[in-house]
Amino acid sequence: MPEMIFRVRWSDGKEAECYSPSLVIRDHFTAGQDYPVREFLEKADIALTEASARVRARYGVPCSRALGQLQAIRQTCTPFLTRPDAQVRVLSFRP
């Protein structure tokens, strides 16, 4: 399964590299696009859950790294959820 790293910029200006075990992440996000934090979180939940399910279908176990990445995204997004102007920018994708 091809892995994908997607780089994001949080509302506070910090940047992070996030992991997906599948290219499916590109079906949910566009590089250079800003997303309201709540929307970004919802899309990340769907994409990383789907990616983990693909790993489960292939190897018989879910991808703990994808689920861990989702948990990290949830924790990072939480402080911004009360700010209606908060955005997350997807900067890039790389295999």
Side-chain angles (χ1 to χ4, degrees):
M1 249 185 189
E3 298 175 325
M4 175 70 62
I5 300 297
F6 58 109
R7 189 162 186 79
V8 300
R9 181 179 304 127
W10 303 109
S11 287
D12 60 5
K14 294 180 183 173
E15 294 184 9
E17 289 190 343
C18 301
Y19 170 82
S20 172
S22 166
L23 302 180
V24 72
I25 200 76
R26 290 183 2 186
D27 294 343
H28 298 274
F29 293 111
T30 302
Q33 179 75 38
D34 290 325
Y35 297 89
V37 171
R38 191 169 303 279
E39 180 183 351
F40 177 82
L41 183 55
E42 290 169 0
K43 286 178 167 285
D45 191 326
I46 292 166
L48 291 170
T49 300
E50 183 178 336
S52 180
R54 288 182 178 197
V55 172
R56 180 192 317 240
R58 184 160 188 178
Y59 299 106
V61 293
C63 180
S64 60
R65 189 169 171 197
L67 299 176
Q69 180 64 72
L70 179 55
Q71 182 61 30
I73 287 171
R74 286 179 180 142
Q75 288 176 342
T76 303
C77 285
T78 297
F80 302 112
L81 288 173
T82 58
R83 291 181 35 201
D85 62 329
Q87 303 270 321
V88 179
R89 175 173 284 249
V90 175
L91 299 170
S92 63
F93 298 103
R94 80 177 198 307

